[in-house]
Amino acid sequence: MPAKYSHTKKRRPGNKKASTSSNATHAQQHAHAHDARAHPSPHTDRSISQTNPEVAKIERVIARILLVRYEQDIVRLFSTHLYYAAHHHLPTFVLRCITVGGPSWVAANADSDEVKDFLRGTIAMDLRQAGDRVATKSVLWTYTALRHFAKSNGVPICQRSGIHSVRLLPHFDALKAYLDSLEAQHPPPFAKPPHLGPMSEGIRSLEETCRTKYGKSPDWRARIREGYDRLCATMWRVANEFDVRGYGLTLREKLTTKWCECGCSTDHLGEVCEKAFQMEDDDNEVRLGKGREWDGRGSGVSGWGTEDEEDLWEVDLDFASAQEREASNEDEMNVAEQLEWRYLRAEREKEQGNVAFKKGDFIEAVKRYKNAYHTEPELPHYQLNLAAAYLKLHDYIEAEKACDLALSQHRSVKGYWRRAQARKAQGRIQDALHDLREVLVLQPSNTEAIAEIMELCPPEDHGPEASSSSSSAPGPSSSSLRAPAHSSASHPWIPAPEPPEPLPFPPGPTDDRKLKISFLPVTVDIPVDFLSLTGEGGSGTRIKAPRWSSFVGPTAPQSFSYPYWERYMVQKVSD
């Protein structure tokens, strides 16, 4: 770890004493050491902010600024990550597909479900890491912005403890106006960063590889280039099925439920970030454009994966406590290892849940799927599995809640379909129809959703306007569910699919060939002690990764599904 961040090394998890009194004081609940002596500085006498209700308002604004900018930083850095994935991984994907399907197969099928499912799997696996990868960097950027704002307005900044919310009280209106401006443009879409160049590098490497095999065809270059361009466009559309507001749950919790409104959270933010800020200034001497850094981000951020950013993951951002930070134990997993541990553990719980589901033991399946989600809450498909188990148990309210949580991360066909089933069972027909319509927006060829809409919507009373009264009805009769005689193409609940964009060249003879794109499993030697962990966690509790030194003894090979840009195969299914 670079020296300038060593003071913020993540501390060892300590055993905190739980308060046994229901009337625990504010200081006990937040581990505050409020000094009874009078101190002129708000950094040493937090009772000043505790007795000021205005501080609570500005603390909420500061926490919200941190959260909104955090979500925007995830979008910005993940968009950069996708830009590089398009350069380095999509050319290989195009090459593998055209090897099996012909030079224009990708151009003709870039918007197919097979291709989009591949992109959904890889993007979901990458996005699950985005919150942890971006959290520390985003908080330091936002602290830089708040610090510059304070300095520009003559607010004193403690060289040891940084800024404090009490000092910012006279400027509450300006901070609130800035927050309003952030939320007015939130959330931003995933898109190619405007400051980065065109995708010429990816297409150039692809053309060089394909020249030997397809160089004799007069239009081979146009077919391959069109396929690559359409695939990149599909990648951005698929990325925007994901909602950044459902990710980064660890920092999100610290900025919401664990953020203290008495001022101690901003105190701890300053204590953590101020020294790193000053060290960075010392290292860089003069930072160009510093006077314009209300944004706080600067420029030149090329995504994640650099050594400095890996080290920044270990910064302690536990805003809920101002206790003294301890040195980290070398046996603890680093963050990259914890990410993999979480996934492998969650997948094992999911597989055990699948076994129980197939046996008809849906209560056990619910337990396993919950364990999987508590271990890795950044992947939505565990909640989709949970919804399926709840549907089997006829617990439609819990099934809907599980779908709501999954859809808050990713607008998926399974999420809308299963929520439609839960809402239908509750007699909420119009809400179910809305979800079925969303299924068809994502997958126009979904025949099950079309049939369900045709069944739910009677011929004399179909459409969004006419069926509004059905949402409050206890349930339709069997006669009213009879499918209408007219074609689904004219049904108001069935969106008309967008016609495919015509190809700028004649179709190829193999463009209609059916291909299967499947991820390759990964086999890992897992310690037997790891396999015996219960993995149980309470609601909203992320299961902690143990120390590597706790794993001793023999290992056993375990295979896991692992969607990744480089681990897949393309096979021909039919011509």
Side-chain angles (χ1 to χ4, degrees):
M1 170 173 291
K4 66 181 179 181
Y5 296 115
S6 61
H7 70 287
T8 54
K9 182 92 171 180
K10 187 176 181 180
R11 68 170 181 267
R12 292 166 53 189
N15 294 326
K16 299 180 182 179
K17 293 183 179 179
S19 176
T20 58
S21 171
S22 59
N23 297 321
T25 65
H26 181 81
Q28 289 173 327
Q29 293 172 358
H30 299 283
H32 293 169
H34 290 296
D35 197 332
R37 295 170 297 176
H39 294 281
S41 170
H43 293 287
T44 55
D45 186 8
R46 294 183 178 89
S47 61
I48 293 176
S49 57
Q50 182 182 353
T51 59
N52 190 342
E54 296 300 317
V55 173
K57 292 172 57 179
I58 200 167
E59 284 287 335
R60 287 193 291 268
V61 168
I62 291 173
R64 183 62 184 166
I65 288 174
L66 284 162
L67 180 59
V68 173
R69 286 171 58 100
Y70 173 49
E71 293 169 347
Q72 293 179 353
D73 288 336
I74 292 177
V75 171
R76 190 171 63 95
L77 289 183
F78 193 72
S79 293
T80 306
H81 172 71
L82 290 179
Y83 172 83
Y84 285 105
H87 271 295
H88 299 294
H89 299 304
L90 291 191
T92 303
F93 180 82
V94 172
L95 181 62
R96 293 184 184 182
C97 289
I98 65 176
T99 299
V100 180
S104 58
W105 188 91
V106 175
N109 296 275
D111 202 41
S112 65
D113 292 333
E114 195 71 29
V115 171
K116 288 192 288 189
D117 285 344
F118 167 81
L119 294 171
R120 286 165 181 146
T122 53
I123 290 174
M125 282 297 289
D126 284 352
L127 194 54
R128 77 182 177 93
Q129 307 177 46
D132 288 321
R133 290 183 179 271
V134 176
T136 300
K137 188 175 286 291
S138 177
V139 169
L140 290 173
W141 282 333
T142 301
Y143 179 79
T144 300
L146 291 172
R147 193 184 189 283
H148 177 68
F149 172 81
K151 194 170 183 180
S152 300
N153 288 276
V155 176
I157 299 173
C158 177
Q159 295 298 307
R160 181 181 64 84
S161 302
I163 58 178
H164 189 273
S165 53
V166 169
R167 305 293 191 189
L168 295 172
L169 279 175
H171 308 285
F172 172 82
D173 291 340
L175 286 172
K176 183 62 168 63
Y178 176 65
L179 174 60
D180 292 341
S181 69
L182 287 176
E183 293 185 320
Q185 53 186 348
H186 192 68
F190 292 104
K192 187 182 83 66
H195 64 280
L196 298 178
M199 314 299 293
S200 55
E201 180 181 343
I203 191 62
R204 187 183 305 113
S205 62
L206 182 61
E207 288 178 348
E208 291 176 357
T209 305
C210 295
R211 180 176 289 107
T212 302
K213 184 173 182 179
Y214 300 106
K216 296 180 179 180
S217 175
D219 58 354
W220 71 272
R221 193 186 302 271
R223 292 176 183 269
I224 292 174
R225 181 182 290 271
E226 184 71 18
Y228 177 76
D229 290 342
R230 292 192 179 198
L231 181 62
C232 290
T234 300
M235 181 192 70
W236 294 114
R237 286 196 300 271
V238 168
N240 282 295
E241 295 176 3
F242 294 83
D243 193 334
V244 68
R245 293 169 294 186
Y247 290 87
L249 302 182
T250 300
L251 181 58
R252 184 180 303 276
E253 183 182 27
K254 293 175 182 178
L255 294 174
T256 52
T257 59
K258 292 185 177 181
W259 187 269
C260 180
E261 295 181 354
C262 78
C264 69
S265 290
T266 301
D267 274 358
H268 187 56
L269 175 71
E271 292 169 3
V272 170
C273 297
E274 181 64 26
K275 189 174 181 180
F277 176 88
Q278 293 180 12
M279 285 183 174
E280 189 171 352
D281 268 5
D282 293 340
D283 290 345
N284 297 337
E285 295 182 356
V286 178
R287 298 172 66 188
L288 297 178
K290 185 143 182 109
R292 299 189 297 274
E293 277 194 7
W294 172 224
D295 185 338
R297 297 180 179 93
S299 60
V301 179
S302 59
W304 58 53
T306 64
E307 181 179 354
D308 284 347
E309 193 161 32
E310 299 269 345
D311 289 328
L312 283 175
W313 289 357
E314 301 192 44
V315 173
D316 176 17
L317 294 174
D318 186 6
F319 301 124
S321 172
Q323 297 175 350
E324 187 70 23
R325 289 171 293 280
E326 301 175 6
S328 176
N329 190 308
E330 294 302 326
D331 285 339
E332 289 183 2
M333 295 182 183
N334 60 39
V335 176
E337 291 169 337
Q338 290 184 36
L339 287 169
E340 300 314 310
W341 181 93
R342 276 164 31 192
Y343 178 73
L344 297 180
R345 184 63 201 160
E347 281 296 295
R348 178 166 173 78
E349 290 287 346
K350 185 200 75 173
E351 292 302 323
Q352 292 175 333
N354 291 346
V355 171
F357 190 95
K358 292 176 182 178
K359 291 180 178 179
D361 188 353
F362 303 118
I363 294 178
E364 177 67 16
V366 164
K367 174 185 174 183
R368 293 297 182 177
Y369 294 146
K370 282 185 175 180
N371 288 344
Y373 175 74
H374 293 322
T375 305
E376 179 51 278
E378 305 281 337
L379 282 174
H381 65 264
Y382 302 128
Q383 286 293 324
L384 295 179
N385 293 344
L386 185 60
Y390 276 131
L391 287 173
K392 290 293 186 180
L393 292 170
H394 307 292
D395 192 342
Y396 303 116
I397 293 177
E398 290 300 321
E400 182 179 1
K401 289 179 181 178
C403 291
D404 288 342
L405 195 52
L407 290 169
S408 70
Q409 294 178 304
H410 178 217
R411 295 183 297 109
S412 65
V413 169
K414 285 184 179 179
Y416 284 117
W417 171 261
R418 291 176 184 173
R419 192 170 70 175
Q421 301 308 304
R423 290 176 167 180
K424 171 187 172 183
Q426 298 176 62
R428 295 161 55 193
I429 304 303
Q430 186 185 26
D431 291 337
L433 287 169
H434 277 292
D435 283 340
L436 292 169
R437 182 181 178 88
E438 289 300 320
V439 170
L440 294 177
V441 170
L442 292 172
Q443 193 179 64
S445 61
N446 192 303
T447 56
E448 289 181 309
I450 294 174
E452 190 80 357
I453 289 175
M454 299 290 284
E455 179 185 2
L456 287 178
C457 197
E460 70 278 2
D461 186 28
H462 63 271
E465 298 82 5
S467 63
S468 59
S469 61
S470 65
S471 61
S472 60
S477 63
S478 58
S479 61
S480 67
L481 293 180
R482 192 172 298 116
H486 58 75
S487 169
S488 64
S490 61
H491 200 291
W493 279 105
I494 299 177
E498 295 184 4
E501 184 179 355
L503 296 173
F505 41 74
T510 59
D511 288 354
D512 294 332
R513 180 172 291 175
K514 300 298 181 183
L515 303 186
K516 180 181 180 181
I517 305 167
S518 52
F519 292 105
L520 298 175
V522 57
T523 301
V524 184
D525 288 331
I526 301 293
V528 174
D529 290 349
F530 173 91
L531 300 177
S532 63
L533 294 176
T534 61
E536 296 182 2
S539 177
T541 302
R542 172 177 287 180
I543 297 174
K544 301 296 184 183
R547 299 174 183 174
W548 279 124
S549 61
S550 64
F551 294 138
V552 294
T555 61
Q558 293 285 312
S559 295
F560 299 92
S561 171
Y562 199 97
Y564 186 57
W565 292 101
E566 297 178 353
R567 293 187 58 83
Y568 61 93
M569 61 186 303
V570 180
Q571 297 172 297
K572 182 179 73 171
V573 176
S574 63
D575 287 319

